[in-house]
Structure formats: structure tokens, C-alpha cells
């Protein structure tokens, strides 16, 4: 299994809603990433988890809350988002970090629309 | 100046043509990745390079560490190759991926 699975594929939410994005991989990878991608732009790093610990937070607003319950699962909890948060949210994983990171595996993304 | 520069930004080709996309970077890296993204879609990793050359089907990727330059070649291009190709360098210092702005390729039959 060389897949990163993201759910849901599409999400529409109001500014007062609470929702979550989910990412799962069963490759034994110990580094997992959340990226945000706006149209026609490259991905922007949001968070990195290494061995289930948050290792990088790119000064992301607190309305985005990541969680790594175990080595296979990564969640992104969303609360009180703004319309400008509408984007494609991509999850990725690698075997480890640094020089041992290895190949990158991305999910198909969750397309979020905030009304 | 961006730490990872790609050229060209847009590329149009006829089916069957040989295509080259270039990537230059200015930071120390532990690896360089070539990624493909179809419109509205997720990202697929094509290659990870730390030295030399790799080939997969009609795709070839090369890297010159001394010159801090990498190229992605597509031989016998096909309309299904139409996508955005992104070069991403993993910074040795910060361990973060630095993305190029992407090359939008359209291959016409």
C-alpha cells in the first residue's frame, strides 16, 4: 500500500462551523505534513509531524489545529475559518525527516470552501 | 530572488516533441524532487534525486550538484503529459521543501 488517503475530498463549511480533515497512510512513514495550496500557486507548508510530535508549525493561525493520534493518522481540525482559507489542503508523508526522508507521497487533497 | 527557480513558466508542445524543464536552486539541499500535478488534482512524486540521473518510462531527471541545477526531460510527449511540473528542493538546513513556481505544460495532439 503506497497511498496517502485524504477525506473528505470536498468540504463546504460556514465560518462558524467546526470540521476536520483526515489523512491516513499505512506505509510506516514517521513524518507527515499538511500543506495549503491556492489556485495556480505552489503548496505552502503548514505543519510537520515527526514521530507523532509536532516539529514544525509555520505560524499557522490557531483556527487550524493539527493532531496526530498515531503514526498512521493525521487530522486537521478547522474552526471559525475565513473565506480566504478556501484552498486545496494536501497531506504528505515521508519515511522520516532530514537526509533520511526519502520519497514524498501526497494525498489527492481535500478541497475546502468556506462560505 | 526565489531560492528555487523554474523555467519556463509555461510550455506548449506538439505530441511527440522532446521537452525539457529546468530548475535552479541556491540553497544546500539533501534531495530534489520533481512533482506532477494535473488540473484540480493531487500531487504525484515523479523523482527524488540527490545525484546523477534517473529514468522512468519516458521521463528522465538529472541533477548537477556542483551547478545546483536539475532538469526534467519528457521524451515523445503525449497529451496526457499536460500538467504542472513542480521542482521542490529539501533544504539541508531547515529540512523544509522549497517549491519552484511550477511549469505549466500543454501537449497538443
Amino acid at each position: 500500500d503506497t497511498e496517502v488517503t485524504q477525506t473528505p475530498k470536498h468540504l463546504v463549511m460556514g465560518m462558524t462551523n467546526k470540521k476536520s480533515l483526515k489523512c491516513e497512510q499505512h506505509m510506516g512513514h514517521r513524518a507527515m505534513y499538511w500543506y495549503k495550496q491556492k489556485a495556480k500557486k505552489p503548496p505552502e507548508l503548514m505543519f510537520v509531524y515527526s514521530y507523532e510530535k509536532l516539529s514544525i508549525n509555520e505560524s499557522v493561525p490557531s483556527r487550524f489545529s493539527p493532531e496526530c493520534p498515531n503514526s498512521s493518522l493525521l487530522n486537521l481540525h478547522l474552526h471559525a475559518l475565513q473565506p480566504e482559507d478556501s484552498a486545496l489542503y494536501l497531506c504528505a508523508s515521508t519515511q522520516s525527516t532530514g537526509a533520511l526522508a526519502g520519497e514524498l507521497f501526497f494525498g489527492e487533497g481535500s478541497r475546502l470552501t468556506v462560505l | 530572488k526565489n531560492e528555487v527557480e523554474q523555467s519556463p513558466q509555461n510550455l506548449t508542445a506538439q505530441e511527440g516533441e522532446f521537452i525539457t524543464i529546468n530548475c535552479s536552486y541556491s540553497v544546500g539541499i539533501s534531495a530534489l524532487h520533481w512533482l506532477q500535478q494535473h488540473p484540480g488534482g493531487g500531487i504525484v512524486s515523479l523523482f527524488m534525486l540527490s545525484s546523477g540521473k534517473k529514468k522512468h518510462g519516458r521521463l528522465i531527471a538529472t541533477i548537477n550538484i556542483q551547478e545546483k541545477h536539475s532538469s526534467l526531460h519528457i521524451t515523445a510527449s503525449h497529451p496526457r503529459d499536460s500538467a504542472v511540473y513542480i521542482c521542490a528542493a529539501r533544504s539541508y538546513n531547515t529540512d523544509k521543501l522549497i517549491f519552484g513556481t511550477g511549469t505549466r505544460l500543454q501537449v497538443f495532439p
Side-chain angles (χ1 to χ4, degrees):
Chain A
D1 185 2
T2 56
E3 277 191 354
V4 174
T5 304
Q6 286 189 246
T7 54
K9 290 195 179 348
H10 298 275
L11 178 63
V12 179
M13 60 187 289
M15 289 192 283
T16 57
N17 292 158
K18 279 187 183 181
K19 297 283 185 184
S20 296
L21 306 180
K22 180 179 164 183
C23 173
E24 204 162 357
Q25 55 85 18
H26 297 286
M27 295 177 279
H29 287 178
R30 303 311 297 271
M32 295 184 77
Y33 310 77
W34 279 116
Y35 288 92
K36 173 183 176 180
Q37 188 180 29
K38 300 285 262 186
K40 300 192 178 182
K41 297 286 186 187
E44 299 169 30
L45 182 65
M46 300 175 73
F47 302 104
V48 180
Y49 272 84
S50 177
Y51 292 82
E52 294 116 74
K53 286 188 168 40
L54 183 65
S55 60
I56 296 176
N57 176 344
E58 289 287 272
S59 303
V60 178
S62 59
R63 57 186 184 268
F64 294 92
S65 174
E67 179 198 19
C68 189
N70 59 58
S71 60
S72 300
L73 192 53
L74 184 66
N75 297 320
L76 186 63
H77 302 298
L78 315 170
H79 175 52
L81 295 194
Q82 304 295 311
E84 60 264 28
D85 296 322
S86 298
L88 182 67
Y89 288 84
L90 291 158
C91 175
S93 71
T94 55
Q95 191 163 1
S96 183
T97 54
L100 300 176
E103 294 276 357
L104 261 173
F105 291 83
F106 280 90
E108 286 287 318
S110 293
R111 188 162 299 281
L112 173 67
T113 303
V114 182
L115 300 176
Chain B
K1 190 177 187 295
N2 291 339
E3 292 171 305
V4 176
E5 297 267 0
Q6 267 186 256
S7 63
Q9 286 191 332
N10 295 284
L11 189 50
T12 303
Q14 284 299 123
E15 184 172 356
E17 283 185 9
F18 181 85
I19 286 158
T20 296
I21 300 170
N22 294 301
C23 175
S24 295
Y25 54 92
S26 57
V27 295
I29 67 168
S30 55
L32 187 123
H33 297 263
W34 281 103
L35 311 169
Q36 180 194 56
Q37 187 171 31
H38 283 100
I43 293 176
V44 173
S45 178
L46 299 175
F47 294 102
M48 183 190 74
L49 296 160
S50 52
S51 66
K53 177 179 173 178
K54 287 188 177 179
K55 184 175 191 287
H56 184 245
R58 295 180 294 105
L59 301 179
I60 302 166
T62 63
I63 189 167
N64 184 318
I65 299 293
Q66 284 74 31
E67 293 185 6
K68 294 190 172 180
H69 181 269
S70 177
S71 293
L72 176 68
H73 305 286
I74 304 175
T75 61
S77 59
H78 190 275
R80 65 174 174 267
D81 297 327
S82 299
V84 175
Y85 292 83
I86 305 169
C87 164
R90 182 178 284 275
S91 165
Y92 188 83
N93 285 338
T94 66
D95 198 32
K96 294 176 189 175
L97 277 179
I98 306 168
F99 292 87
T101 51
T103 295
R104 192 169 302 272
L105 171 65
Q106 285 186 293
V107 182
F108 291 99

